[in-house]
Each structure stands twice: as C-alpha cells, then as structure tokens.
C-alpha cells in the first residue's frame, strides 16, 4: 500500500494553503480532566511542525472518546489544545464546533503558520456514518488533506475517508508513513527470521492476526490468558484459568496449520498461578501439565521466559502484540517485563522490534523501555487489522 506522503509537498505547494490534518488525539484523562499520557499528541508533532515551517494554515481534526454524535462537555478537546500549545510553544486556537460559523470565521482569520484545533469531530452524528454532506462541509474549510491518524485509519469515517473525495492532494503524514513502513514492511518484506509474539486474554480477539501471522512468520510465540484455551484443546487440566470453550476446535486448527507450514509454534511450558484474580493473591509456579484445581494462571513461568528468549535470539524482525500475563499486577508482570527487556536487548543488536499497539505498548512504557524499540505503534485496532492483511479505509483513500 504505497501512498503519497507529506514529504512530497514543497514549501511552494503548502505556503498559505489551508491544510486539514486528521490527527489521533484520543488521549487518556484523569478524574480532574488532566492528560495523563500525551504520547499521541507528541507523535503528531513532526507533521504539524513541518506544515508550520512551510507556512501552511494548519487545521487539526480529531476525535475524543465516544460521544455518539452529541455534544458531551466532558469530551471537549480543551485540554488537548492547551497541551499542544505547550509542546509547540505557540498559541493553539480551538473552535466551538468542528463545522459551522465559528469554525469558518476562525479559519478565515488564520495567518500562515497558525494552528487551529477543531472541536471533537464525533460530536457530529455524520462523522461515524461517513455522511458525505458533513464530509463536504468539513472539507470546505481546507484545500489540502493530510491523514496522520493511524489509530483511526481502520474506520471509514467522514474525517478519515469522506473528506478525501473533496480535497486534493490527500497525503499521509509522517506518523502514518512511519506506521505503514514498519507494520506493512514487517509483513510484506521482513528481514528473516520473523517472529510474532501474541498475547492477551482471548483467542477470539486475535483469530485473524494469528491466522495471518502463521502464514507469514517463521516463529509464533503465544502468551497471556489465551494459552489456556490451547492447553484445554490438548486435553490438559487448567484449573479455573480463563478458557474459551467455543474456541477449542479453533485452537487445535491453528496448531495444526502451524505444523503443516513448518512454523515454530511455541506455548509456555510453565505458568505462574494465583488462587484468585487479585494483586495480593497467593501464587505458585507450575508446569502446564500439573495445574491444580482451584488455581488460575496469570503469567508465564520462568522456564517459559527462557524458552521464548532462546527462540527470539536469532530473529531479525519481531512483532509483539499483547502481554504475557496480568502485568498490571506486579506479582504477575515478570513474563511481560522479561519479554520487553529481551526485545530491547535484541533491538540493540540490529533486530527490528515492532510493538503492535494496545496493552503491549503500555507494558513497554511501564517497563521504561519504549525508546529502545524500533517502532511503537500508536494504533490498537488499526495495527491488528493491518497485521491481519486487511485494507484500512483511511489509508486506501489517500493518493497513491
């Protein structure tokens, strides 16, 4: 999916032009309404700064939360505008609505190099319906379109897909370009051996990814709660560990498919058990064939960590999606933290390490190792869908 990038537009192309930039500013807030993690805002800075430097009038479009097409005072982008202003070192004006008279007049008053943040685009019902009348009104504010919101690229919404029918050129921002280069590159043209580490609690949420990765990878390593569905499918007793009873046949099928294709399909050999799902639960280590009744697995064990480290040692590309255990509880975070440390180590030796969105990103950041990975994806669902080989509407809509 080779798409035209912002880097193809010169100062002459952009100076004085009104540029609509779709960004992903869906950041977490605390109870006081303060931003607790500004990673997504910082990730958009290269694109925004480039447009400022080239004299564009930068009009930012973003969503926040799920207001379901109605104004929700708790989901206004006011704290985002304040934080962006601090990061840019210049004022960032904000509109009352993403379209309408206030938006039009504030856009009309912009000077070259100004930045304007449109209010939450999901306050308008037409956004998630990809309503073309709304898309046309939004697009009328600008002349050029840049999509830098990889995290929303798997949605065909008015601000990600609809507006491209009314603006030209439509190009990828630098974050979008980087996401596609790493994630698409890892699937289409990886340096081999290619390994995927897939974790998380449920097989059902990762079916498409597992099927796709078994087709592409040399090694697939499985962790997290989903391992117990595989064990039960093998006929092992798993105590009161999480099992998806309706996915037992699928688990057998995935193992069979991996074997047929000659893919090394690794499941943990030991686990850390708890007597209940709590931070202060009693815990013990067990091999997978000796899990006692009344106990549940909440992390992979020490021997499994060694097994996985050995499997990753010769890899040239590694994609990681999903934690190895309940890393939010320190007692059950060793598996996830050990994998994060291992990836940081092999990254330093030239392996391309890609953290594919969601909880694995949180885990790597919690371990303080984010800056040692080759690429950390900003998209949860978008990363998964790209790894599954699906077309992302927000990417497909951009100029080739």
């Amino acid at each position: 999916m080779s798409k035209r990038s912002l880097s193809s537009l010169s100062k002459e192309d952009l100076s004085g032009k009104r540029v609509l930039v779709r960004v992903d500013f869906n950041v977490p807030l605390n109870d006081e309404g303060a931003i607790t993690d500004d990673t997504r805002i910082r990730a958009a800075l290269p694109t925004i700064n480039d447009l400022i430097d080239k004299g564009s009038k930068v009009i930012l479009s973003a969503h926040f939360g799920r207001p379901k097409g109605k104004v929700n005072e708790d989901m206004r982008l006011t704290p985002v505008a304040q934080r962006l202003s601090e990061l840019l070192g210049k004022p960032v004006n904000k509109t009352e609505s993403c379209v309408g008279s206030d938006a039009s007049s504030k856009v009309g008053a912009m000077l070259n190099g100004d930045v304007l943040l449109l209010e939450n685009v999901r306050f308008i019902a037409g956004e998630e319906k990809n309503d073309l009348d709304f898309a046309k009104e939004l697009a009328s504010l600008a002349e050029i379109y840049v999509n830098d919101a990889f995290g929303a690229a798997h949605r065909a919404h008015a601000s990600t897909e609809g507006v491209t029918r009314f603006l030209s050129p439509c190009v990828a921002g630098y974050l979008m370009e980087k996401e596609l280069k790493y994630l698409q590159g890892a699937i289409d043209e990886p340096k081999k051996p290619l390994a995927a580490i897939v974790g998380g609690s449920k097989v059902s949420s990762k079916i498409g990814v597992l099927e796709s990765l078994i087709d592409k990878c040399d090694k697939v390593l499985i962790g997290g709660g989903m391992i117990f569905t595989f064990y039960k499918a093998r006929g092992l007793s798993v105590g009161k560990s999480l099992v998806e009873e309706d996915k037992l046949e699928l688990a057998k099928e995935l193992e069979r498919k991996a074997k047929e294709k000659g893919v090394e399909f690794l499941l943990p050999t030991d686990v850390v058990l708890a007597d209940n799902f709590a931070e202060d639960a009693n815990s013990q280590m067990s091999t997978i064939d000796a899990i006692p009744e009344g106990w549940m697995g909440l992390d992979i064990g020490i021997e499994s960590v060694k097994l996985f480290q050995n499997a990753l040692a010769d890899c040239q590309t590694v994609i990681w999606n999903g934690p190895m255990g309940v890393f939010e509880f320190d007692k059950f975070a060793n598996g996830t933290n050990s994998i994060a440390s291992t990836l940081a180590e092999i990254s330093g030796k030239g392996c391309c390490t890609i953290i594919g969105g969601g909880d694995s990103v949180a885990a790597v950041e919690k371990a303080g190792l984010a800056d040692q990975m080759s690429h950390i994806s900003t998209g949860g669902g978008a990363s998964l869908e790209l790894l599954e080989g699906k077309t992302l509407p927000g990417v497909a809509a951009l100029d080739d």
Side-chain angles (χ1 to χ4, degrees), residues 176-232:
M176 177 75 85
E177 185 181 20
K178 186 176 178 226
E179 291 275 15
L180 295 174
K181 176 188 149 192
Y182 275 99
L183 288 167
Q184 194 88 52
I187 289 301
D188 294 345
E189 296 168 348
K191 287 192 294 176
K192 296 267 197 172
L194 166 64
I197 309 165
V198 182
S201 56
K202 294 182 174 178
V203 183
S204 53
S205 62
K206 304 278 170 88
I207 295 169
V209 171
L210 282 168
E211 288 178 334
S212 172
L213 292 173
I214 287 168
D215 275 338
K216 307 260 174 40
C217 292
D218 302 296
K219 306 178 188 192
V220 176
L221 287 58
I222 308 288
M226 70 168 78
I227 61 178
F228 300 103
T229 300
F230 285 95
Y231 296 149
K232 184 138 190 203

Side-chain angles (χ1 to χ4, degrees), residues 333-374:
N334 181 63
T336 299
N337 291 341
S338 298
I339 293 301
S341 301
T342 301
L343 293 192
E345 191 182 317
I346 61 176
S347 199
K349 295 174 182 168
C351 176
C352 177
T353 51
I354 299 161
I355 314 303
D359 284 340
S360 356
V361 175
V364 166
E365 286 176 346
K366 191 179 174 190
L369 297 168
D371 60 344
Q372 294 179 50
M373 306 299 167
S374 308

Side-chain angles (χ1 to χ4, degrees), residues 94-108 116 141:
K94 188 184 76 68
T95 64
E96 290 304 306
S97 172
C98 61
V99 290
S101 58
D102 179 63
S104 297
S105 65
K106 282 178 178 163
V107 167
L116 177 70
L141 297 171

